[in-house]
Amino acid sequence: MVSTSTRIGSFHFDNCLMNAAGVYCFSKEELEAIDTSAAGSFVTKTATLEARQGNPEPRYVDTDLGSINSMGLPNLGIDYYLDYVTQLQDTPNSKNHFLSLVGMSPEDTHTILKKVQDSAYKGLVELNLSCPNVPGKPQIAYDFETTDQLLAEVFSYYKKPLGVKLPPYFDIVHFDQAAAIFNKYPLTFVNCINSIGNGLVISDETVVIKPKDGFGGIGGDYVKPTALANVHAFYKRLNPTIAIIGTGGVRTGRDAFEHILCGASMVQIGTILHQEGPEAFTRITKELQDIMSEKGYQSLEDFRGKLQYLS
């Protein structure tokens, strides 16, 4: 029997597929729809210390090859999501979940993480170092000195399982430099990638989204090659104790297969989930299982990270 089960740190998941933060995760109702689907887990909307309205609309548009968005971190605040996942973990047969969070400043980040550290929540936390769509706020993960300093401060007090959501890197030396930093800390996972920041989509003679004069994060088919490159680059460079979650351009079971082949332990879907709804998990899971059966693979470990090169 083909199995798509997987592990992140000490946490088991019956299926390797889940949503990407930002899609189908704003409210308890949306999260419940993911939780009761074929997905192996969900991640909450990236939470800030206080609730945020986000950027003005239109701020998300589907395109021919994916999507563009500049959401601006709309969310209901850390207390809303922390309370929900804490309650869920105590229900019978509960799946393991991910709580996504970010501070609008380093001080906010520490306040939020200390709140989680002091809470009863025992699940996984994803610290978003890569939000590209908040005007005036740079992506932390592109500043290696700041990233190193922030992680050093975080791990001085945070003792629960923690991973980071990363933006795409485009230079080999940046993979080397980033991995050297991440390998210094007891990270449970890294998530590659967030959307490619500051793309521009035009309809006739006008931009298609309102914030930032139309500049927004690009997702969907456009980003899969970049996502696969980041997954594989970090798979080759990170300590084997740090799992990799692959995100970007996953529309079919074949796309998920390629993320795992590059080294991903879990795979998140975003744009196609927004377009199809939670039923996408059933379709993509079956397509992945069919590929595994055709190739004689019984588990993800049979092919995870075993990308072949040309001689």
Side-chain angles (χ1 to χ4, degrees):
M1 183 67 183
V2 169
S3 171
T4 58
S5 67
T6 192
R7 300 190 73 84
I8 300 289
S10 62
F11 296 84
H12 173 83
F13 303 89
D14 288 337
N15 191 3
C16 63
L17 300 180
M18 59 181 291
N19 68 306
V23 185
Y24 245 94
C25 57
F26 182 80
S27 65
K28 294 177 183 178
E29 291 75 21
E30 288 185 343
L31 289 166
E32 185 176 354
I34 301 297
D35 208 35
T36 55
S37 75
S41 181
F42 68 60
V43 58
T44 64
K45 187 76 178 72
T46 299
T48 49
L49 190 56
E50 306 293 341
R52 286 174 54 88
Q53 291 291 321
N55 292 338
E57 296 182 335
R59 57 193 185 186
Y60 176 100
V61 171
D62 288 318
T63 65
D64 290 343
L65 293 174
S67 62
I68 183 170
N69 85 87
S70 182
M71 301 299 290
L73 289 174
N75 74 95
L76 297 170
I78 184 60
D79 290 342
Y80 178 91
Y81 301 104
L82 179 57
D83 289 348
Y84 181 58
V85 292
T86 302
Q87 292 168 11
L88 268 187
Q89 73 184 4
D90 296 325
T91 60
N93 302 316
S94 173
K95 297 177 181 178
N96 292 310
H97 300 110
F98 294 77
L99 175 68
S100 180
L101 53 85
V102 69
M104 301 306 291
S105 67
E107 294 74 25
D108 276 3
T109 298
H110 295 311
T111 299
I112 295 170
L113 282 171
K114 287 175 180 177
K115 181 187 288 280
V116 179
Q117 176 66 41
D118 293 340
S119 75
Y121 179 59
K122 297 176 287 192
L124 290 147
V125 167
E126 177 179 276
L127 173 60
N128 189 343
L129 299 180
S130 60
C131 185
N133 298 314
V134 177
K137 298 289 184 180
Q139 295 194 49
I140 295 171
Y142 283 152
D143 183 334
F144 292 133
E145 184 177 348
T146 298
T147 297
D148 196 3
Q149 180 181 349
L150 179 64
L151 291 177
E153 293 170 354
V154 165
F155 283 110
S156 71
Y157 62 84
Y158 195 82
K159 306 305 178 186
K160 295 180 178 181
L162 180 73
V164 290
K165 178 74 172 284
L166 300 176
Y169 295 104
F170 301 99
D171 197 299
I172 297 297
V173 70
H174 292 155
F175 292 132
D176 294 338
Q177 292 171 337
I181 292 169
F182 301 143
N183 281 334
K184 292 167 59 176
Y185 301 102
L187 288 167
T188 303
F189 67 91
V190 299
N191 186 347
C192 312
I193 59 173
N194 208 329
S195 55
I196 296 178
N198 295 316
L200 193 64
V201 174
I202 298 167
S203 176
D204 192 14
E205 297 180 357
T206 308
V207 299
V208 298
I209 58 173
K210 186 173 183 179
K212 295 169 60 179
D213 292 333
F215 283 69
I218 300 296
D221 291 1
Y222 304 104
V223 310
K224 190 179 80 167
T226 300
L228 294 178
N230 276 256
V231 168
H232 196 57
F234 282 114
Y235 178 75
K236 292 196 295 182
R237 287 166 174 79
L238 292 179
N239 296 331
T241 54
I242 303 176
I244 297 172
I245 299 175
T247 307
V250 178
R251 184 166 47 88
T252 67
R254 175 67 199 188
D255 300 325
F257 177 83
E258 291 178 6
H259 269 271
I260 298 160
L261 190 67
C262 286
S265 293
M266 290 195 82
V267 178
Q268 295 185 346
I269 64 173
T271 296
I272 201 66
L273 174 60
H274 184 274
Q275 295 172 354
E276 289 187 15
E279 299 80 13
F281 290 112
T282 300
R283 174 182 62 79
I284 296 172
T285 300
K286 184 178 185 305
E287 291 172 356
L288 174 58
Q289 289 172 329
D290 288 346
I291 293 170
M292 292 172 63
S293 294
E294 290 169 10
K295 294 179 174 293
Y297 297 140
Q298 298 298 305
S299 72
L300 303 189
E301 291 307 305
D302 291 342
F303 66 98
R304 187 173 66 84
K306 296 181 181 177
L307 180 65
Q308 300 177 36
Y309 311 125
L310 301 178
S311 57

Coordinates of all heavy atoms in Angstrom, one line a residue, residues 161-238:
P161 N 9.3 23.4 19.3 CA 9.7 23.2 17.9 C 9.4 24.4 17.0 O 8.2 24.9 17.0 CB 8.8 22.0 17.5 CG 8.5 21.3 18.7 CD 8.3 22.4 19.7
L162 N 10.4 24.9 16.3 CA 10.3 26.1 15.5 C 10.9 26.0 14.2 O 12.0 25.4 14.1 CB 11.0 27.3 16.3 CG 10.9 28.6 15.6 CD1 9.5 29.2 15.7 CD2 11.9 29.6 16.3
G163 N 10.3 26.5 13.2 CA 10.8 26.5 11.8 C 10.7 27.9 11.3 O 10.0 28.8 11.9
V164 N 11.3 28.2 10.1 CA 11.2 29.5 9.5 C 10.7 29.4 8.0 O 11.0 28.4 7.3 CB 12.6 30.2 9.5 CG1 12.9 30.6 10.9 CG2 13.7 29.3 8.9
K165 N 9.8 30.3 7.6 CA 9.4 30.5 6.3 C 10.3 31.4 5.5 O 10.6 32.5 6.0 CB 7.9 31.0 6.2 CG 7.3 31.2 4.9 CD 7.0 29.9 4.2 CE 6.2 30.2 2.9 NZ 4.8 30.5 3.1
L166 N 10.8 31.0 4.4 CA 11.9 31.7 3.7 C 11.4 32.3 2.4 O 10.6 31.7 1.7 CB 13.1 30.8 3.4 CG 13.7 30.2 4.7 CD1 14.8 29.2 4.2 CD2 14.3 31.3 5.6
P167 N 12.0 33.4 2.0 CA 11.8 33.9 0.6 C 12.7 33.1 -0.3 O 13.6 32.4 0.1 CB 12.3 35.4 0.7 CG 13.4 35.3 1.7 CD 13.0 34.3 2.7
P168 N 12.5 33.3 -1.6 CA 13.4 32.6 -2.6 C 14.8 33.3 -2.6 O 14.9 34.5 -2.5 CB 12.7 32.8 -3.9 CG 11.8 34.0 -3.7 CD 11.4 34.0 -2.3
Y169 N 15.8 32.5 -2.6 CA 17.2 33.0 -2.8 C 17.5 32.6 -4.3 O 17.1 31.6 -4.8 CB 18.1 32.4 -1.9 CG 17.9 32.7 -0.4 CD1 17.3 31.8 0.5 CD2 18.3 34.0 0.1 CE1 17.1 32.2 1.8 CE2 18.1 34.3 1.4 CZ 17.5 33.4 2.3 OH 17.2 33.7 3.6
F170 N 18.4 33.5 -4.9 CA 18.7 33.4 -6.3 C 20.1 33.2 -6.6 O 20.5 33.0 -7.8 CB 18.1 34.6 -7.1 CG 16.6 34.8 -6.9 CD1 16.2 35.7 -6.0 CD2 15.7 34.1 -7.6 CE1 14.8 35.9 -5.8 CE2 14.4 34.2 -7.5 CZ 13.9 35.1 -6.5
D171 N 21.0 33.2 -5.6 CA 22.4 33.1 -5.9 C 23.0 32.0 -5.0 O 22.6 31.8 -3.9 CB 23.1 34.4 -5.5 CG 24.5 34.6 -6.1 OD1 25.3 33.8 -5.7 OD2 24.7 35.5 -6.9
I172 N 23.9 31.2 -5.6 CA 24.5 30.1 -4.9 C 25.1 30.5 -3.6 O 25.0 29.8 -2.5 CB 25.5 29.3 -5.8 CG1 24.8 28.7 -7.0 CG2 26.2 28.2 -5.0 CD1 23.7 27.7 -6.7
V173 N 25.8 31.6 -3.6 CA 26.5 32.1 -2.4 C 25.5 32.4 -1.3 O 25.8 32.3 -0.1 CB 27.4 33.3 -2.7 CG1 26.6 34.6 -3.0 CG2 28.4 33.6 -1.5
H174 N 24.3 32.9 -1.7 CA 23.3 33.1 -0.7 C 22.7 31.9 -0.1 O 22.4 31.8 1.1 CB 22.1 34.0 -1.3 CG 22.5 35.3 -1.7 ND1 21.9 36.1 -2.7 CD2 23.6 36.1 -1.3 CE1 22.5 37.2 -2.8 NE2 23.5 37.3 -2.0
F175 N 22.6 30.8 -0.9 CA 22.3 29.5 -0.3 C 23.3 29.1 0.8 O 23.0 28.7 1.9 CB 22.2 28.4 -1.3 CG 21.1 28.5 -2.3 CD1 21.3 28.4 -3.7 CD2 19.8 28.8 -1.9 CE1 20.3 28.5 -4.6 CE2 18.7 28.9 -2.8 CZ 19.0 28.8 -4.2
D176 N 24.6 29.3 0.4 CA 25.7 28.9 1.4 C 25.6 29.8 2.6 O 25.7 29.2 3.8 CB 27.0 29.2 0.7 CG 27.3 28.2 -0.5 OD1 26.6 27.2 -0.6 OD2 28.1 28.6 -1.3
Q177 N 25.4 31.1 2.5 CA 25.4 32.0 3.6 C 24.2 31.7 4.5 O 24.3 31.7 5.8 CB 25.5 33.4 3.2 CG 26.8 33.8 2.5 CD 26.7 35.2 1.8 OE1 25.6 35.7 1.5 NE2 27.9 35.8 1.6
A178 N 23.0 31.5 3.9 CA 21.8 31.3 4.7 C 21.9 30.0 5.4 O 21.6 29.9 6.6 CB 20.6 31.3 3.8
A179 N 22.3 28.9 4.8 CA 22.4 27.6 5.4 C 23.4 27.6 6.6 O 23.2 27.0 7.6 CB 22.8 26.6 4.4
A180 N 24.5 28.4 6.4 CA 25.5 28.4 7.5 C 24.9 29.1 8.8 O 25.2 28.6 9.9 CB 26.7 29.3 7.1
I181 N 24.0 30.0 8.6 CA 23.3 30.6 9.7 C 22.3 29.6 10.3 O 22.2 29.4 11.5 CB 22.5 31.9 9.3 CG1 23.6 33.0 8.9 CG2 21.6 32.4 10.4 CD1 23.0 34.2 8.3
F182 N 21.4 29.0 9.5 CA 20.4 28.1 10.0 C 21.0 26.9 10.7 O 20.4 26.4 11.6 CB 19.5 27.7 8.8 CG 18.8 28.8 8.1 CD1 18.6 28.8 6.7 CD2 18.4 29.9 8.8 CE1 18.0 29.8 6.1 CE2 17.7 31.0 8.1 CZ 17.6 30.9 6.8
N183 N 22.1 26.4 10.2 CA 22.7 25.3 10.8 C 23.3 25.6 12.2 O 23.6 24.6 13.0 CB 23.9 24.7 9.9 CG 23.4 23.9 8.8 OD1 22.3 23.3 8.8 ND2 24.2 23.9 7.7
K184 N 23.3 26.8 12.6 CA 23.8 27.2 14.0 C 22.7 27.0 15.0 O 23.0 27.0 16.2 CB 24.3 28.6 14.0 CG 25.5 28.9 13.2 CD 25.7 30.4 13.0 CE 25.8 31.2 14.3 NZ 26.1 32.6 14.0
Y185 N 21.5 26.8 14.6 CA 20.3 26.8 15.5 C 19.5 25.5 15.4 O 19.5 24.9 14.4 CB 19.5 28.1 15.2 CG 20.2 29.3 15.3 CD1 20.7 30.0 14.2 CD2 20.6 29.8 16.6 CE1 21.5 31.2 14.3 CE2 21.3 31.0 16.7 CZ 21.8 31.7 15.6 OH 22.5 32.8 15.7
P186 N 18.8 25.2 16.5 CA 18.0 24.0 16.5 C 16.7 24.1 15.8 O 15.6 23.8 16.4 CB 17.8 23.7 18.0 CG 17.8 25.1 18.6 CD 18.8 25.9 17.8
L187 N 16.7 24.6 14.6 CA 15.5 24.7 13.8 C 14.9 23.3 13.5 O 15.6 22.3 13.2 CB 15.8 25.4 12.5 CG 16.0 26.9 12.5 CD1 16.6 27.4 11.2 CD2 14.8 27.7 12.9
T188 N 13.6 23.2 13.5 CA 12.9 21.9 13.2 C 12.7 21.8 11.7 O 12.8 20.7 11.1 CB 11.6 21.8 13.9 OG1 11.8 21.9 15.3 CG2 10.9 20.5 13.7
F189 N 12.5 22.9 11.0 CA 12.3 22.9 9.6 C 12.6 24.3 9.0 O 12.6 25.3 9.7 CB 10.9 22.5 9.2 CG 9.8 23.4 9.6 CD1 9.3 24.4 8.8 CD2 9.2 23.4 10.9 CE1 8.4 25.4 9.2 CE2 8.2 24.3 11.3 CZ 7.8 25.3 10.4
V190 N 12.8 24.3 7.7 CA 12.7 25.5 6.9 C 11.6 25.3 5.8 O 11.4 24.2 5.3 CB 14.0 25.9 6.2 CG1 15.1 26.2 7.3 CG2 14.5 24.9 5.2
N191 N 10.9 26.4 5.4 CA 9.9 26.3 4.4 C 10.3 27.1 3.2 O 10.5 28.3 3.3 CB 8.6 26.8 5.0 CG 7.4 26.6 4.1 OD1 7.6 26.3 2.9 ND2 6.2 26.8 4.6
C192 N 10.5 26.5 2.1 CA 10.9 27.1 0.8 C 9.8 26.9 -0.2 O 9.6 25.8 -0.6 CB 12.2 26.5 0.3 SG 13.5 26.3 1.5
I193 N 9.2 27.9 -0.8 CA 9.5 29.4 -0.7 C 8.2 30.1 -0.4 O 7.1 29.6 -0.7 CB 10.2 29.9 -1.9 CG1 9.3 29.7 -3.1 CG2 11.6 29.3 -2.1 CD1 9.8 30.3 -4.4
N194 N 8.4 31.4 0.0 CA 7.2 32.3 -0.1 C 7.2 32.8 -1.5 O 8.0 32.4 -2.3 CB 7.5 33.5 0.9 CG 6.2 34.1 1.4 OD1 5.2 34.1 0.6 ND2 6.2 34.6 2.6
S195 N 6.2 33.6 -1.8 CA 6.0 34.1 -3.2 C 7.3 34.9 -3.6 O 8.0 35.4 -2.8 CB 4.8 34.9 -3.3 OG 4.8 36.0 -2.4
I196 N 7.5 34.9 -4.9 CA 8.6 35.8 -5.4 C 8.1 37.2 -5.4 O 7.1 37.6 -6.0 CB 8.9 35.4 -6.9 CG1 9.5 34.0 -6.9 CG2 9.9 36.4 -7.5 CD1 9.8 33.5 -8.3
G197 N 8.8 38.0 -4.6 CA 8.3 39.3 -4.3 C 8.3 40.3 -5.4 O 9.2 40.3 -6.3
N198 N 7.4 41.3 -5.4 CA 7.4 42.5 -6.2 C 7.4 42.2 -7.7 O 8.2 42.7 -8.5 CB 8.6 43.4 -5.8 CG 8.4 43.9 -4.4 OD1 7.4 44.3 -4.1 ND2 9.5 43.9 -3.6
G199 N 6.5 41.2 -8.1 CA 6.2 41.1 -9.5 C 5.1 42.1 -9.9 O 4.6 42.8 -9.1
L200 N 4.9 42.2 -11.2 CA 3.9 43.1 -11.7 C 3.1 42.4 -12.8 O 3.7 41.9 -13.8 CB 4.7 44.4 -12.3 CG 3.8 45.6 -12.6 CD1 3.2 46.2 -11.3 CD2 4.7 46.7 -13.3
V201 N 1.8 42.5 -12.7 CA 0.9 41.9 -13.7 C 0.0 43.0 -14.3 O -0.5 43.8 -13.5 CB 0.1 40.8 -13.2 CG1 -1.0 40.3 -14.2 CG2 0.9 39.6 -12.7
I202 N -0.1 43.1 -15.6 CA -0.8 44.2 -16.2 C -2.0 43.6 -17.1 O -1.8 42.6 -17.7 CB 0.1 45.0 -17.2 CG1 1.2 45.6 -16.3 CG2 -0.6 46.0 -18.0 CD1 2.4 46.1 -17.2
S203 N -3.1 44.2 -17.0 CA -4.3 43.9 -17.8 C -4.6 45.1 -18.7 O -4.9 46.2 -18.1 CB -5.5 43.5 -17.0 OG -6.6 43.3 -17.8
D204 N -4.5 45.0 -20.0 CA -4.7 46.1 -20.9 C -3.5 47.1 -20.6 O -2.4 46.9 -20.9 CB -6.0 46.7 -20.8 CG -6.3 47.7 -22.0 OD1 -5.5 47.7 -23.0 OD2 -7.3 48.4 -21.9
E205 N -3.9 48.2 -20.0 CA -2.8 49.2 -19.6 C -2.8 49.5 -18.1 O -2.2 50.5 -17.7 CB -3.1 50.5 -20.4 CG -3.0 50.4 -21.9 CD -3.3 51.7 -22.6 OE1 -3.6 52.7 -22.0 OE2 -3.2 51.7 -23.9
T206 N -3.3 48.6 -17.3 CA -3.5 48.9 -15.9 C -3.0 47.7 -15.1 O -3.2 46.6 -15.4 CB -5.0 49.2 -15.6 OG1 -5.5 50.2 -16.5 CG2 -5.2 49.6 -14.1
V207 N -2.4 48.0 -13.9 CA -2.0 47.0 -13.0 C -3.3 46.3 -12.5 O -4.4 46.9 -12.5 CB -1.2 47.5 -11.8 CG1 0.1 48.1 -12.4 CG2 -2.0 48.5 -11.0
V208 N -3.2 45.1 -11.9 CA -4.4 44.3 -11.6 C -4.7 44.3 -10.1 O -5.7 43.9 -9.7 CB -4.3 42.8 -12.1 CG1 -4.2 42.8 -13.6 CG2 -3.1 42.1 -11.4
I209 N -3.7 44.7 -9.2 CA -3.9 44.9 -7.8 C -3.7 46.3 -7.4 O -2.9 47.0 -8.0 CB -3.1 43.9 -7.0 CG1 -1.6 44.0 -7.2 CG2 -3.6 42.4 -7.2 CD1 -0.8 43.2 -6.3
K210 N -4.3 46.7 -6.3 CA -4.2 48.1 -5.8 C -3.0 48.5 -5.0 O -2.4 49.5 -5.2 CB -5.5 48.4 -5.1 CG -5.6 49.9 -4.7 CD -7.0 50.2 -4.1 CE -7.2 51.7 -3.7 NZ -8.5 52.0 -3.2
P211 N -2.6 47.6 -4.0 CA -1.5 48.0 -3.1 C -0.2 48.2 -3.9 O 0.1 47.6 -4.9 CB -1.4 46.9 -2.1 CG -2.7 46.2 -2.2 CD -3.1 46.3 -3.7
K212 N 0.7 49.1 -3.4 CA 2.1 49.2 -3.9 C 2.1 49.5 -5.4 O 3.0 49.0 -6.1 CB 2.9 48.0 -3.5 CG 3.1 47.7 -2.0 CD 3.6 46.4 -1.7 CE 5.0 46.1 -2.3 NZ 5.5 44.8 -1.9
D213 N 1.1 50.2 -5.9 CA 1.1 50.5 -7.4 C 1.1 49.2 -8.2 O 1.7 49.2 -9.3 CB 2.2 51.4 -7.8 CG 2.0 52.8 -7.2 OD1 0.9 53.2 -6.9 OD2 3.0 53.5 -7.0
G214 N 0.6 48.1 -7.7 CA 0.4 46.9 -8.5 C 1.5 45.9 -8.2 O 1.4 44.8 -8.8
F215 N 2.5 46.2 -7.5 CA 3.6 45.3 -7.2 C 3.1 44.2 -6.1 O 2.5 44.6 -5.1 CB 4.8 46.0 -6.6 CG 5.7 46.7 -7.6 CD1 5.2 47.8 -8.3 CD2 6.9 46.2 -8.0 CE1 5.9 48.5 -9.3 CE2 7.7 46.9 -8.9 CZ 7.2 48.0 -9.6
G216 N 3.4 43.0 -6.4 CA 2.9 41.9 -5.5 C 3.7 40.6 -5.6 O 4.5 40.4 -6.5
G217 N 3.4 39.7 -4.7 CA 4.1 38.4 -4.7 C 3.5 37.5 -5.8 O 2.3 37.4 -5.9
I218 N 4.4 36.8 -6.5 CA 4.0 35.9 -7.6 C 4.0 34.5 -7.1 O 4.9 34.0 -6.4 CB 4.9 36.1 -8.8 CG1 4.9 37.5 -9.3 CG2 4.6 35.1 -9.9 CD1 3.6 38.0 -9.9
G219 N 2.9 33.8 -7.4 CA 2.8 32.4 -7.0 C 2.2 31.6 -8.2 O 1.9 32.1 -9.2
G220 N 2.2 30.2 -8.0 CA 1.7 29.4 -9.0 C 2.8 28.8 -10.0 O 3.9 28.7 -9.6
D221 N 2.4 28.5 -11.2 CA 3.3 27.9 -12.1 C 4.6 28.7 -12.3 O 5.6 28.1 -12.5 CB 2.6 27.7 -13.5 CG 1.5 26.7 -13.5 OD1 1.2 26.1 -12.4 OD2 0.9 26.4 -14.5
Y222 N 4.5 30.0 -12.3 CA 5.7 30.8 -12.5 C 6.8 30.4 -11.6 O 8.0 30.5 -12.0 CB 5.4 32.3 -12.1 CG 4.2 33.0 -12.8 CD1 3.1 33.2 -12.1 CD2 4.4 33.5 -14.1 CE1 2.0 33.9 -12.7 CE2 3.4 34.2 -14.7 CZ 2.2 34.4 -14.0 OH 1.2 35.1 -14.6
V223 N 6.5 30.0 -10.3 CA 7.6 30.0 -9.3 C 8.1 28.6 -9.1 O 9.1 28.4 -8.3 CB 7.1 30.6 -8.0 CG1 6.4 31.9 -8.2 CG2 6.1 29.7 -7.3
K224 N 7.5 27.5 -9.7 CA 8.0 26.2 -9.4 C 9.5 26.0 -9.6 O 10.1 25.4 -8.7 CB 7.2 25.1 -10.1 CG 7.5 23.7 -9.6 CD 6.6 22.6 -10.3 CE 7.3 22.2 -11.6 NZ 6.7 21.0 -12.2
P225 N 10.1 26.4 -10.7 CA 11.5 26.1 -10.8 C 12.4 26.8 -9.7 O 13.3 26.2 -9.2 CB 11.8 26.7 -12.2 CG 10.6 26.7 -13.0 CD 9.5 26.9 -11.9
T226 N 12.0 28.0 -9.3 CA 12.7 28.6 -8.2 C 12.4 27.9 -6.9 O 13.4 27.8 -6.1 CB 12.2 30.1 -8.1 OG1 12.5 30.8 -9.3 CG2 12.9 30.8 -7.0
A227 N 11.2 27.5 -6.7 CA 10.9 26.7 -5.4 C 11.7 25.4 -5.4 O 12.3 25.1 -4.3 CB 9.4 26.5 -5.3
L228 N 11.7 24.7 -6.5 CA 12.5 23.4 -6.5 C 14.0 23.7 -6.2 O 14.6 22.9 -5.5 CB 12.3 22.7 -7.8 CG 10.9 22.2 -8.1 CD1 10.8 21.6 -9.5 CD2 10.4 21.2 -7.1
A229 N 14.5 24.7 -6.8 CA 15.9 25.0 -6.6 C 16.2 25.3 -5.2 O 17.2 24.9 -4.6 CB 16.3 26.2 -7.5
N230 N 15.4 26.1 -4.5 CA 15.6 26.4 -3.1 C 15.4 25.2 -2.2 O 16.2 25.0 -1.3 CB 14.6 27.5 -2.7 CG 15.1 28.9 -3.0 OD1 15.5 29.6 -2.2 ND2 15.0 29.3 -4.3
V231 N 14.4 24.3 -2.5 CA 14.3 23.1 -1.7 C 15.5 22.3 -1.8 O 16.1 21.8 -0.8 CB 13.0 22.3 -2.2 CG1 13.0 20.9 -1.6 CG2 11.8 23.1 -1.8
H232 N 16.0 22.0 -3.0 CA 17.2 21.1 -3.2 C 18.4 21.8 -2.7 O 19.3 21.1 -2.1 CB 17.3 20.8 -4.7 CG 18.2 19.6 -4.9 ND1 18.0 18.4 -4.3 CD2 19.3 19.4 -5.6 CE1 18.9 17.5 -4.6 NE2 19.8 18.1 -5.4
A233 N 18.6 23.1 -2.9 CA 19.8 23.7 -2.4 C 19.9 23.6 -0.9 O 21.0 23.3 -0.3 CB 19.8 25.2 -2.8
F234 N 18.8 23.8 -0.2 CA 18.9 23.7 1.3 C 18.9 22.2 1.7 O 19.5 21.9 2.8 CB 17.7 24.4 1.9 CG 17.9 25.9 2.0 CD1 17.1 26.8 1.2 CD2 18.9 26.5 2.7 CE1 17.3 28.1 1.2 CE2 19.2 27.8 2.8 CZ 18.4 28.7 2.0
Y235 N 18.3 21.3 1.0 CA 18.4 19.9 1.3 C 19.9 19.5 1.3 O 20.3 18.7 2.2 CB 17.6 19.1 0.3 CG 17.7 17.6 0.5 CD1 17.0 17.0 1.6 CD2 18.5 16.8 -0.3 CE1 17.1 15.6 1.8 CE2 18.6 15.4 0.0 CZ 17.9 14.8 1.0 OH 18.0 13.5 1.2
K236 N 20.7 20.0 0.4 CA 22.1 19.6 0.3 C 22.9 20.3 1.3 O 24.0 19.8 1.7 CB 22.6 19.9 -1.1 CG 22.0 19.1 -2.2 CD 22.8 19.1 -3.5 CE 22.8 20.5 -4.1 NZ 23.6 20.6 -5.4
R237 N 22.4 21.4 1.9 CA 23.3 22.2 2.8 C 22.9 22.2 4.3 O 23.8 22.4 5.1 CB 23.2 23.7 2.3 CG 24.0 23.9 1.0 CD 23.6 25.3 0.4 NE 24.5 25.6 -0.7 CZ 24.3 25.1 -1.9 NH1 23.3 24.3 -2.1 NH2 25.1 25.4 -2.9
L238 N 21.7 21.9 4.6 CA 21.3 21.9 6.0 C 21.6 20.6 6.7 O 21.7 19.6 6.1 CB 19.7 22.2 6.0 CG 19.3 23.6 5.6 CD1 17.8 23.7 5.7 CD2 20.0 24.7 6.4

